[in-house]
Every structure is written in structure tokens, then in C-alpha cells.
């Protein structure tokens, strides 16, 4: 088994919310992108999607950059549906997924650079054109729009934009990522590629 295949197997077994077919589609999109530059994801949780990207990175000689404050999104906080009490740091009383993330991505530490920050803070100092941008951060309308405005312009022409949890029907899920998808398409700067499940892929044209 190649190292990339080992990372794919680790990704499939890792905790997280990304279905296996969507994870493989993200990996394949990262593998297929032709322009130079790193792969950057916004929203890492415990590192599952980072491993799918890392498997592509070891095959193509790229670097994966993950951006997450590791305090969880709204739905992960106490009293919400996806809260996991075992992830609360007793010293601070706050959710902290960074230790779990580090355990997950340990096999890929040579290709994954973890930035612990709010995405809009890092965006202010980020200048490297991206080959792939994966948007999977907080899904409130405000935060999804903020990630879009801060990062989509940093994607190279010919690069791939991946957006997770895009649900056209509100009965299936929140609408903030769908709104990002619709605004990006309406800009005329992107063309849509075949997606998988709730994962949408777009290629930047100009």
C-alpha cells in the first residue's frame, strides 16, 4: 500500500462529518488541479478532510494548510445538537478540538501545516495564490459570507473552489454554504465541475 493509500484509509477511519464518497471526491479534486500552489481548507474539526487533502498532497508534492480556531462552530457548543462534552478543555471551559486534530493528522505532519486562527485574521496576511480552496467553516450566514469574501479572491485562475454542505433544499440542511455557491456562480468568474453529495466543485476562470 502506498503512503497516499494509507492516508486515505486513515481519513476514512477518522472521526468527522464528511461522508467517504465526498472525502474521496475532495481528494480527487485536489489531485486533478493543475495550477501551482498550496491546498487550503477553512474548518478542520478533527482533521478528517485534512487527511483526504494530504493524500493528494503527497502524490503531487503540495502542502496542505488548515485554518481553524478549534473552538467549534455554533452547533458544537453546549446545548446544541452536535456538542461533545469530552472535547471541552477543563482548564478553560471551552471546546478544544486541536488535540484531536493533531492525533488525526499525525501521519501527515510533513505535508499539513495547521494554523490556529480565525480565517479572516489569517486572510489579512495571506498572499500566496491557492491551487485549491476548501470552504467548510462555520455555517452561519455571517461567517460563510465572511470566509467567501476573505478567501475566494486568493484562489488562482485555474484553481478549484470546493464548498461543503451545499443543500439547495432547506429541508436537507443549512443554507449558508448554498448561498456562497450561488454567489460565486453568479459572479461569472467560475464554472461548475461535477460534484458529489453536498460537495460542490468550481473552477476559477478569471
Amino acid at each position: 500500500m502506498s503512503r497516499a493509500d494509507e492516508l486515505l484509509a486513515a481519513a476514512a477511519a477518522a472521526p468527522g462529518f464528511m461522508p467517504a464518497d465526498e472525502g474521496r471526491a475532495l481528494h480527487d479534486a485536489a489531485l486533478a488541479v493543475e495550477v501551482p500552489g498550496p491546498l487550503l481548507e477553512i474548518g478542520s474539526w478533527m482533521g478528517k478532510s485534512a487527511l483526504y487533502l494530504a493524500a493528494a498532497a503527497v502524490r503531487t508534492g503540495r502542502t496542505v494548510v488548515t485554518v481553524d480556531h478549534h473552538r467549534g462552530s455554533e452547533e458544537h457548543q453546549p446545548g446544541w445538537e452536535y456538542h461533545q462534552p469530552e472535547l471541552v478543555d477543563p482548564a478553560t471551559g471551552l471546546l478544544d478540538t486541536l488535540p484531536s486534530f493533531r492525533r488525526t493528522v499525525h501521519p501527515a505532519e510533513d505535508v499539513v501545516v495547521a494554523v490556529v486562527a480565525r480565517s479572516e485574521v489569517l486572510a489579512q496576511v495571506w498572499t500566496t495564490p491557492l491551487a485549491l480552496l476548501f470552504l467548510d467553516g462555520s455555517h452561519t450566514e455571517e461567517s460563510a459570507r465572511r470566509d467567501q469574501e476573505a478567501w475566494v479572491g486568493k484562489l488562482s485562475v485555474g484553481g478549484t473552489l470546493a464548498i461543503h454542505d451545499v443543500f439547495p433544499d432547506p429541508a436537507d440542511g443549512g443554507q449558508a454554504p448554498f448561498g456562497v455557491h450561488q454567489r460565486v456562480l453568479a459572479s461569472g468568474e467560475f464554472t461548475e465541475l461535477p460534484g458529489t453529495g453536498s460537495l460542490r466543485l468550481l473552477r476559477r476562470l478569471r
Side-chain angles (χ1 to χ4, degrees):
M1 181 182 292
S2 70
R3 184 174 178 220
D5 288 335
E6 290 175 350
L7 291 176
L8 284 174
F17 303 106
M18 175 168 276
D21 59 342
E22 295 179 13
R24 287 302 295 257
L26 178 65
H27 163 270
D28 293 348
L31 201 61
V33 69
E34 296 181 352
V35 297
L39 317 172
L40 187 143
E41 74 165 4
I42 296 174
S44 305
W45 190 235
M46 295 189 194
K48 188 178 186 75
S49 55
L51 284 183
Y52 280 113
L53 292 172
V58 300
R59 286 176 163 144
T60 57
R62 297 186 191 269
T63 298
V64 178
V65 179
T66 72
V67 187
D68 198 312
H69 49 63
H70 289 283
R71 296 301 189 191
S73 300
E74 288 75 9
E75 66 271 19
H76 303 132
Q77 304 309 316
W80 288 72
E81 180 180 2
Y82 294 104
H83 179 60
Q84 295 176 241
E86 68 275 13
L87 297 177
V88 174
D89 180 354
T92 64
L94 299 174
L95 201 74
D96 186 0
T97 59
L98 184 57
S100 298
F101 170 87
R102 292 200 66 180
R103 284 192 293 271
T104 298
V105 302
H106 175 68
E109 286 182 346
D110 58 325
V111 294
V112 175
V113 177
V115 180
V116 182
R118 295 189 177 277
S119 73
E120 69 273 17
V121 175
L122 179 63
Q124 295 174 19
V125 297
W126 186 273
T127 58
T128 304
L130 301 172
L132 180 142
L133 172 64
F134 178 42
L135 295 178
D136 194 24
S138 173
H139 291 351
T140 66
E141 178 61 33
E142 178 184 0
S143 62
R145 187 181 291 269
R146 187 170 57 233
D147 288 342
Q148 175 193 344
E149 294 173 351
W151 285 99
V152 170
K154 300 181 186 298
L155 186 65
S156 293
V157 173
T160 297
L161 173 63
I163 310 171
H164 198 217
D165 294 330
V166 175
F167 299 108
D169 186 346
D172 295 328
Q175 292 296 283
F178 177 67
V180 173
H181 174 263
Q182 293 297 289
R183 287 191 296 272
V184 168
L185 273 182
S187 72
E189 297 181 353
F190 288 79
T191 187
E192 189 145 27
L193 304 173
T196 299
S198 72
L199 181 71
R200 297 292 185 272
L201 301 170
L202 304 101
R203 176 72 41 77
R204 185 164 193 175
L205 301 175
R206 57 182 176 83

